[in-house]
PDB file of all heavy atoms in Angstrom:
ATOM      1  N   ASP A 388      -0.085 -16.855  13.106  1.00  0.00           N
ATOM      2  CA  ASP A 388      -1.196 -16.440  12.269  1.00  0.00           C
ATOM      3  C   ASP A 388      -1.982 -17.669  11.851  1.00  0.00           C
ATOM      4  O   ASP A 388      -1.425 -18.567  11.219  1.00  0.00           O
ATOM      5  CB  ASP A 388      -0.647 -15.704  11.038  1.00  0.00           C
ATOM      6  CG  ASP A 388      -1.723 -15.023  10.228  1.00  0.00           C
ATOM      7  OD1 ASP A 388      -2.908 -15.393  10.358  1.00  0.00           O
ATOM      8  OD2 ASP A 388      -1.381 -14.119   9.456  1.00  0.00           O
ATOM      9  N   PRO A 389      -3.274 -17.739  12.173  1.00  0.00           N
ATOM     10  CA  PRO A 389      -4.058 -18.911  11.796  1.00  0.00           C
ATOM     11  C   PRO A 389      -4.128 -19.108  10.287  1.00  0.00           C
ATOM     12  O   PRO A 389      -4.330 -20.214   9.813  1.00  0.00           O
ATOM     13  CB  PRO A 389      -5.445 -18.638  12.375  1.00  0.00           C
ATOM     14  CG  PRO A 389      -5.455 -17.226  12.802  1.00  0.00           C
ATOM     15  CD  PRO A 389      -4.042 -16.761  12.915  1.00  0.00           C
ATOM     16  N   LEU A 390      -3.924 -18.055   9.514  1.00  0.00           N
ATOM     17  CA  LEU A 390      -3.936 -18.173   8.061  1.00  0.00           C
ATOM     18  C   LEU A 390      -2.839 -19.120   7.582  1.00  0.00           C
ATOM     19  O   LEU A 390      -3.031 -19.866   6.629  1.00  0.00           O
ATOM     20  CB  LEU A 390      -3.759 -16.793   7.419  1.00  0.00           C
ATOM     21  CG  LEU A 390      -3.884 -16.723   5.901  1.00  0.00           C
ATOM     22  CD1 LEU A 390      -5.278 -17.174   5.469  1.00  0.00           C
ATOM     23  CD2 LEU A 390      -3.604 -15.334   5.399  1.00  0.00           C
ATOM     24  N   ASP A 391      -1.683 -19.102   8.262  1.00  0.00           N
ATOM     25  CA  ASP A 391      -0.604 -20.019   7.896  1.00  0.00           C
ATOM     26  C   ASP A 391      -1.062 -21.471   8.000  1.00  0.00           C
ATOM     27  O   ASP A 391      -0.772 -22.282   7.126  1.00  0.00           O
ATOM     28  CB  ASP A 391       0.612 -19.814   8.796  1.00  0.00           C
ATOM     29  CG  ASP A 391       1.355 -18.519   8.497  1.00  0.00           C
ATOM     30  OD1 ASP A 391       1.228 -18.007   7.368  1.00  0.00           O
ATOM     31  OD2 ASP A 391       2.048 -18.026   9.396  1.00  0.00           O
ATOM     32  N   ASP A 392      -1.769 -21.788   9.080  1.00  0.00           N
ATOM     33  CA  ASP A 392      -2.233 -23.168   9.279  1.00  0.00           C
ATOM     34  C   ASP A 392      -3.281 -23.558   8.254  1.00  0.00           C
ATOM     35  O   ASP A 392      -3.350 -24.709   7.830  1.00  0.00           O
ATOM     36  CB  ASP A 392      -2.809 -23.337  10.691  1.00  0.00           C
ATOM     37  CG  ASP A 392      -1.740 -23.161  11.760  1.00  0.00           C
ATOM     38  OD1 ASP A 392      -0.553 -23.431  11.462  1.00  0.00           O
ATOM     39  OD2 ASP A 392      -2.087 -22.744  12.871  1.00  0.00           O
ATOM     40  N   MET A 393      -4.124 -22.612   7.853  1.00  0.00           N
ATOM     41  CA  MET A 393      -5.179 -22.921   6.890  1.00  0.00           C
ATOM     42  C   MET A 393      -4.630 -23.019   5.470  1.00  0.00           C
ATOM     43  O   MET A 393      -5.122 -23.790   4.664  1.00  0.00           O
ATOM     44  CB  MET A 393      -6.259 -21.835   6.931  1.00  0.00           C
ATOM     45  CG  MET A 393      -7.009 -21.808   8.237  1.00  0.00           C
ATOM     46  SD  MET A 393      -8.250 -20.505   8.423  1.00  0.00           S
ATOM     47  CE  MET A 393      -8.135 -19.485   7.029  1.00  0.00           C
ATOM     48  N   ALA A 394      -3.616 -22.230   5.149  1.00  0.00           N
ATOM     49  CA  ALA A 394      -3.132 -22.151   3.772  1.00  0.00           C
ATOM     50  C   ALA A 394      -2.127 -23.233   3.410  1.00  0.00           C
ATOM     51  O   ALA A 394      -1.987 -23.580   2.249  1.00  0.00           O
ATOM     52  CB  ALA A 394      -2.515 -20.782   3.521  1.00  0.00           C
ATOM     53  N   PHE A 395      -1.418 -23.786   4.418  1.00  0.00           N
ATOM     54  CA  PHE A 395      -0.352 -24.736   4.131  1.00  0.00           C
ATOM     55  C   PHE A 395      -0.479 -26.005   4.952  1.00  0.00           C
ATOM     56  O   PHE A 395      -0.975 -25.997   6.069  1.00  0.00           O
ATOM     57  CB  PHE A 395       1.015 -24.097   4.421  1.00  0.00           C
ATOM     58  CG  PHE A 395       1.313 -22.933   3.541  1.00  0.00           C
ATOM     59  CD1 PHE A 395       1.115 -21.639   3.993  1.00  0.00           C
ATOM     60  CD2 PHE A 395       1.781 -23.117   2.261  1.00  0.00           C
ATOM     61  CE1 PHE A 395       1.379 -20.556   3.180  1.00  0.00           C
ATOM     62  CE2 PHE A 395       2.054 -22.037   1.430  1.00  0.00           C
ATOM     63  CZ  PHE A 395       1.858 -20.759   1.894  1.00  0.00           C
ATOM     64  N   ARG A 396       0.016 -27.089   4.379  1.00  0.00           N
ATOM     65  CA  ARG A 396       0.130 -28.353   5.109  1.00  0.00           C
ATOM     66  C   ARG A 396       1.419 -28.330   5.913  1.00  0.00           C
ATOM     67  O   ARG A 396       2.264 -27.451   5.733  1.00  0.00           O
ATOM     68  CB  ARG A 396       0.168 -29.520   4.111  1.00  0.00           C
ATOM     69  CG  ARG A 396      -1.119 -29.695   3.349  1.00  0.00           C
ATOM     70  CD  ARG A 396      -1.073 -31.001   2.551  1.00  0.00           C
ATOM     71  NE  ARG A 396      -2.206 -31.033   1.657  1.00  0.00           N
ATOM     72  CZ  ARG A 396      -2.118 -31.104   0.334  1.00  0.00           C
ATOM     73  NH1 ARG A 396      -0.950 -31.213  -0.253  1.00  0.00           N
ATOM     74  NH2 ARG A 396      -3.200 -31.105  -0.407  1.00  0.00           N
ATOM     75  N   ALA A 397       1.607 -29.322   6.760  1.00  0.00           N
ATOM     76  CA  ALA A 397       2.802 -29.413   7.589  1.00  0.00           C
ATOM     77  C   ALA A 397       4.075 -29.500   6.736  1.00  0.00           C
ATOM     78  O   ALA A 397       5.141 -29.048   7.147  1.00  0.00           O
ATOM     79  CB  ALA A 397       2.710 -30.610   8.521  1.00  0.00           C
ATOM     80  N   ASN A 398       3.968 -30.067   5.524  1.00  0.00           N
ATOM     81  CA  ASN A 398       5.146 -30.203   4.660  1.00  0.00           C
ATOM     82  C   ASN A 398       5.464 -28.927   3.883  1.00  0.00           C
ATOM     83  O   ASN A 398       6.386 -28.904   3.057  1.00  0.00           O
ATOM     84  CB  ASN A 398       4.977 -31.384   3.694  1.00  0.00           C
ATOM     85  CG  ASN A 398       3.836 -31.190   2.712  1.00  0.00           C
ATOM     86  OD1 ASN A 398       3.203 -30.137   2.656  1.00  0.00           O
ATOM     87  ND2 ASN A 398       3.569 -32.228   1.935  1.00  0.00           N
ATOM     88  N   GLY A 399       4.691 -27.851   4.095  1.00  0.00           N
ATOM     89  CA  GLY A 399       4.960 -26.580   3.441  1.00  0.00           C
ATOM     90  C   GLY A 399       4.235 -26.372   2.128  1.00  0.00           C
ATOM     91  O   GLY A 399       4.293 -25.287   1.553  1.00  0.00           O
ATOM     92  N   HIS A 400       3.550 -27.390   1.615  1.00  0.00           N
ATOM     93  CA  HIS A 400       2.809 -27.248   0.363  1.00  0.00           C
ATOM     94  C   HIS A 400       1.445 -26.607   0.637  1.00  0.00           C
ATOM     95  O   HIS A 400       0.912 -26.690   1.740  1.00  0.00           O
ATOM     96  CB  HIS A 400       2.613 -28.619  -0.304  1.00  0.00           C
ATOM     97  CG  HIS A 400       3.880 -29.167  -0.857  1.00  0.00           C
ATOM     98  ND1 HIS A 400       4.749 -29.934  -0.094  1.00  0.00           N
ATOM     99  CD2 HIS A 400       4.443 -29.062  -2.083  1.00  0.00           C
ATOM    100  CE1 HIS A 400       5.785 -30.278  -0.835  1.00  0.00           C
ATOM    101  NE2 HIS A 400       5.632 -29.755  -2.051  1.00  0.00           N
ATOM    102  N   HIS A 401       0.878 -25.987  -0.396  1.00  0.00           N
ATOM    103  CA  HIS A 401      -0.444 -25.366  -0.271  1.00  0.00           C
ATOM    104  C   HIS A 401      -1.482 -26.427   0.115  1.00  0.00           C
ATOM    105  O   HIS A 401      -1.482 -27.530  -0.414  1.00  0.00           O
ATOM    106  CB  HIS A 401      -0.884 -24.729  -1.601  1.00  0.00           C
ATOM    107  CG  HIS A 401      -0.107 -23.503  -1.953  1.00  0.00           C
ATOM    108  ND1 HIS A 401      -0.340 -22.291  -1.375  1.00  0.00           N
ATOM    109  CD2 HIS A 401       0.914 -23.315  -2.827  1.00  0.00           C
ATOM    110  CE1 HIS A 401       0.494 -21.401  -1.870  1.00  0.00           C
ATOM    111  NE2 HIS A 401       1.271 -21.987  -2.759  1.00  0.00           N
ATOM    112  N   ALA A 402      -2.376 -26.061   1.021  1.00  0.00           N
ATOM    113  CA  ALA A 402      -3.463 -26.965   1.405  1.00  0.00           C
ATOM    114  C   ALA A 402      -4.423 -27.137   0.231  1.00  0.00           C
ATOM    115  O   ALA A 402      -4.950 -28.215   0.014  1.00  0.00           O
ATOM    116  CB  ALA A 402      -4.197 -26.424   2.631  1.00  0.00           C
TER     117      ALA A 402
END
Side-chain angles (χ1 to χ4, degrees):
D388 190 340
L390 186 61
D391 288 337
D392 295 332
M393 294 177 354
F395 296 99
R396 294 189 190 120
N398 64 5
H400 289 88
H401 289 282

